């Protein structure tokens, strides 16, 4: 039998009460992956198409099943703060770059434009920060997630493993 491995991370914070909270960034079934064709500059999948857009939603859980609320949501793209001061569309507010929209209620981030290009053909990083409130006490939490960007062509393949839950 072969050896299998996977990688990823989860933020665990031990609280003064003896509880622990877990922060994960869950996807909507769309992988954070784009490939750019070196010849044509075409990007796959095209995140300008609504059905292809990934949504990253912060989720938190308590080991003691305490109620945890998240607030003061913020995102960074490659270390630069995203400012969500644009027009609202449904539940989402546009950022100043025009590439992202955030749901201010739950902190979910939807990518509305391609991140990969002939100029940007290396992986990017998104960093989420918030304040978690548990039993009246506030805790600062931060979690990062990578956007895999690679150069490829017509005969390129990339494999993904999709888990039914990201918190085990």
């Amino acid at each position: 039998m072969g050896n299998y491995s996977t990688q990823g991370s989860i933020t665990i914070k031990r609280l003064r009460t003896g509880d622990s909270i877990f922060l994960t960034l869950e996807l909507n079934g769309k992988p954070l992956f784009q490939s750019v064709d070196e010849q044509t500059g075409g990007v796959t999948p095209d995140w300008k198409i609504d059905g292809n857009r990934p949504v990253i939603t912060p989720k938190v859980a308590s080991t003691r099943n305490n109620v945890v609320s998240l607030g003061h949501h913020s995102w960074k793209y490659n270390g630069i703060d995203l400012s969500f001061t644009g027009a609202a569309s449904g539940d989402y507010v546009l950022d100043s770059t025009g590439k992202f929209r955030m749901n201010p209620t739950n902190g979910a981030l939807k990518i509305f434009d391609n991140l990969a290009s002939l100029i940007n053909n290396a992986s990017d990083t998104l960093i989420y920060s918030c304040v978690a409130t548990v039993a009246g006490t506030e805790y600062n939490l931060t979690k990062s997630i990578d956007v895999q960007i690679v150069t490829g062509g017509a005969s390129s393949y990339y494999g993904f493993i999709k888990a039914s839950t990201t918190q085990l």
Side-chain angles (χ1 to χ4, degrees):
M1 178 179 258
N3 292 330
Y4 298 97
S5 69
T6 186
Q7 64 183 29
S9 66
I10 188 168
T11 300
I12 302 173
K13 185 156 188 134
R14 179 111 173 136
L15 309 182
R16 293 185 297 226
T17 60
D19 195 1
S20 296
I21 53 177
F22 304 86
L23 176 64
T24 58
L25 298 175
E26 293 187 355
L27 297 174
N28 63 333
K30 310 290 183 196
L32 287 177
F33 169 82
Q34 281 193 309
S35 173
V36 60
D37 188 314
E38 294 177 298
Q39 303 299 317
T40 66
V43 175
T44 305
D46 186 352
W47 289 344
K48 292 179 182 181
I49 298 170
D50 190 48
N52 295 340
R53 292 180 179 143
V55 177
I56 309 162
T57 305
K59 299 287 184 178
V60 68
S62 159
T63 57
R64 293 190 175 170
N65 292 324
N66 286 321
V67 174
V68 183
S69 61
L70 299 179
H72 304 285
H73 308 284
S74 67
W75 286 90
K76 290 183 182 183
Y77 173 58
N78 289 335
I80 299 181
D81 289 324
L82 295 175
S83 177
F84 296 94
T85 56
S89 175
D91 294 334
Y92 291 88
V93 177
L94 184 66
D95 85 310
S96 58
T97 69
K99 292 182 181 286
F100 306 95
R101 290 183 186 254
M102 183 182 74
N103 181 326
T105 304
N106 66 5
L109 184 76
K110 186 182 255 190
I111 303 175
F112 271 76
D113 200 355
N114 295 321
L115 302 182
S117 68
L118 287 173
I119 297 169
N120 183 25
N121 57 12
S123 295
D124 294 341
T125 302
L126 291 163
I127 300 170
Y128 170 75
S129 298
C130 69
V131 175
T133 304
V134 183
T137 304
E138 295 180 339
Y139 301 93
N140 294 317
L141 297 177
T142 300
K143 177 93 173 109
S144 67
I145 192 166
D146 292 329
V147 179
Q148 300 295 317
I149 298 175
V150 298
T151 56
S155 62
S156 297
Y157 292 92
Y158 197 85
F160 297 97
I161 296 174
K162 182 180 172 185
S164 59
T165 179
T166 55
Q167 274 189 8
L168 302 176

